[in-house]
Amino acid sequence: MVTGAVAPGSLYLVATPIGHLGDLSPRAAEILGGVDVVLAEDTRHTRPLLTHLGLATPLEAVHAHNERETAARLVARLVAGASAALVSDAGTPLVSDPGAVLVAAAIEAGVPVVPVPGPSAVLAALTGSGLPAVPFTFFGFLPRKGPERRERLADLGALRHTAVVYESPQRLGETLADLSSAGLGGRRAAVARELTKKFEEFRRGTVDDLAAYYAGTPPRGEVVLVLEGGAPPAPADAATIAAAVADLRRAGRDSRTIQSELMDRFGLSRNAAYRAAHAEEG
Ligand code: SAM
């Protein structure tokens, strides 16, 4: 199917279903049928999708292990006028999936990069979770172990707004238990499982509830964890803030440092922290 929808020399980033085939947009199908080549994370995975759409577009593999070597060659083809669509196994390419190296190389070479938006587990889980959707931070997959994991868990704990985390079913119980141990057991959370599929499920509760539920029983299928942000610190009275400013000044902190410390410690706005940090000056 060759249509007028595809511009020569462009790289399309095409979102594909995360389960339900009906979620593939008509525009996505048109682009997948109209480009010269579909660049797939796993061609064995994408071939059935193209076949389902009645398309025979040539496929090439672009995955985490070959993206660096193939990017320059693919960009040269794009510069010469070929069009390509990048897809991942499911959802939106680049979202915890390969593609960033190719996109950066394409932009560098002046190749138009055209997103064709559609399914992604991060937004489906966030919007169905019942937790505030704006702002939110997407963490992708957490590091599995070591100081990186501890740091990321600390980042999650410090966050004052909703977080979305991709997790494997085998590791979900451990992650919930780690969040509990980090003092976040009382936060509301949701586990979104098998989104858009037959056994789609949202399980909502506190982190402690969910940790107890999933302890020793990994969920079946794919999951996303959505976590409520921490409550802002209790408002402090003027005397407490003034005492903190005096302490920090005695410790040799400059006004700028004191301002940011007051914002962190007492949840003051930038202006209020500025006024407090400068109040005792002179
Ligand atoms: N690029 C994809 C996207 O846009 O959502 C994500 C790819 S990432 C390698 C795979 C992870 O996404 C899974 O481990 C799971 O956390 C989440 N995921 C993908 N499909 C899902 C689904 N149908 N239900 C729940 N989570 C899903």
Side-chain angles (χ1 to χ4, degrees), residues 214-226:
Y214 289 110
T217 6
R220 279 168 180 268
E222 296 188 284
V223 290
V224 179
L225 173 63
V226 188

Side-chain angles (χ1 to χ4, degrees), residues 15-20 41 88-98 118-125 138 140-141 165-169 191-197 200-201 221-225:
T16 58
I18 56 170
H20 198 303
E41 187 181 4
S88 61
D89 285 352
T92 300
L94 282 85
V95 177
S96 295
D97 268 336
S120 189
V122 52
L123 286 185
F138 175 53
F141 291 96
V165 177
Y166 282 170
E167 195 46 285
S168 77
V191 173
R193 187 174 75 84
E194 293 289 85
L195 289 161
T196 79
K197 302 183 196 173
E200 177 176 287
E201 174 191 53
E222 296 188 284
V223 290
V224 179
L225 173 63

Side-chain angles (χ1 to χ4, degrees), residues 160-212:
R160 300 263 163 78
H161 56 254
T162 305
V164 182
V165 177
Y166 282 170
E167 195 46 285
S168 77
Q170 295 76 25
R171 303 184 59 81
L172 178 67
E174 187 186 331
T175 292
L176 287 164
D178 284 352
L179 291 170
S180 242
S181 313
L184 312 185
R187 292 222 197 149
R188 291 185 299 155
V191 173
R193 187 174 75 84
E194 293 289 85
L195 289 161
T196 79
K197 302 183 196 173
K198 188 171 174 194
F199 296 109
E200 177 176 287
E201 174 191 53
F202 278 88
R203 189 161 286 278
R204 303 179 181 89
T206 63
V207 167
D208 280 344
D209 296 336
L210 295 170

